[in-house]
Amino acid sequence: MQPLKSLIQSLAKLADSEHYLFALDDLRALFPGLSDGAFKTLISRAVSAGALIRVCRGLYLYDQVEYPRGLILFHAAARLRAELFNYLSLETVLSDAGVISQILINRITLLSSGRSHVISCGNFGVIEFVHTTQKPADLAPHLVYDAACHLWRASVPQALRDMRATRRSLDLIDWSVANEFI
């Protein structure tokens, strides 16, 4: 069987509403016998054929299953830095709580034990990781797990502290709303 057909059949079996994003390592495991060059060609052909959609470098979407369309960036962030401590904070949390007047569209902000980095996900949006040295144990009382996003989420007071600690602009904060959370 041709590798592209084999890939499509494997993805149809593996993918579901929770598992629709695949890292290159996930896909590579399906074809251990292919050379690196042949594997890259296979992925390129899969994207060209519409079997996979490139979300960002090294992460692909299989859209032949139902998946939560509004959560792709969140799930991508969780997959990209699964080995690190990350949590939603800053403008994302404050916007969701109505503390800042602007609603972020196609951009999420997270604090991460990894390095700061902005990742463009093309038409899907942008993921911004901001480095933090804070320890998970110290933050535990201020975080809740957001099962829909597959990420930890800061409380509003913690997001405000993070805004100050990272020297982000506080100009958009509606302090009358923010004070209700403090």
Side-chain angles (χ1 to χ4, degrees):
M1 181 181 301
Q2 291 186 7
L4 184 57
K5 276 188 176 181
S6 178
L7 175 64
I8 292 169
Q9 288 179 351
S10 296
L11 289 171
K13 291 176 188 173
L14 293 171
D16 60 31
S17 62
E18 286 290 315
H19 303 97
Y20 59 93
L21 290 175
F22 294 91
L24 280 175
D25 289 342
D26 303 331
L27 300 171
R28 186 72 172 120
L30 298 171
F31 299 94
L34 284 183
S35 68
D36 289 342
F39 177 71
K40 287 179 185 177
T41 300
L42 170 62
I43 298 304
S44 177
R45 286 183 181 156
V47 171
S48 295
L52 289 173
I53 298 170
R54 184 179 186 272
V55 175
C56 62
R57 183 177 181 197
L59 194 63
Y60 295 85
L61 166 72
Y62 179 71
D63 74 342
Q64 299 303 309
V65 294
E66 289 295 320
Y67 61 91
R69 298 193 188 283
L71 297 174
I72 292 174
L73 279 180
F74 297 97
H75 294 177
R79 284 297 314 266
L80 288 170
R81 293 210 175 170
E83 76 284 358
L84 299 171
F85 171 59
N86 305 297
Y87 65 95
L88 293 167
S89 188
L90 305 169
E91 295 88 355
T92 297
V93 168
L94 297 177
S95 176
D96 289 349
V99 174
I100 59 176
S101 57
Q102 293 182 346
I103 297 173
L104 297 179
I105 298 175
N106 295 336
R107 185 178 190 94
I108 61 171
T109 52
L110 301 95
L111 265 68
S112 176
S113 60
R115 65 185 178 92
S116 294
H117 190 61
V118 176
I119 299 172
S120 173
C121 296
N123 293 335
F124 297 104
V126 174
I127 302 168
E128 181 179 3
F129 291 101
V130 178
H131 177 70
T132 183
T133 57
Q134 299 176 89
K135 303 293 180 220
D138 297 336
L139 290 168
H142 310 288
L143 301 178
V144 295
Y145 187 71
D146 187 331
C149 293
H150 301 172
L151 291 163
W152 290 96
R153 179 180 289 271
S155 64
V156 171
Q158 181 61 44
L160 289 167
R161 285 190 291 276
D162 292 340
M163 290 286 285
R164 288 186 191 101
T166 57
R167 295 186 172 95
R168 305 283 271 215
S169 174
L170 303 176
D171 294 342
L172 296 176
I173 295 175
D174 182 344
W175 289 102
S176 64
V177 175
N179 289 332
E180 294 175 16
F181 291 98
I182 298 176

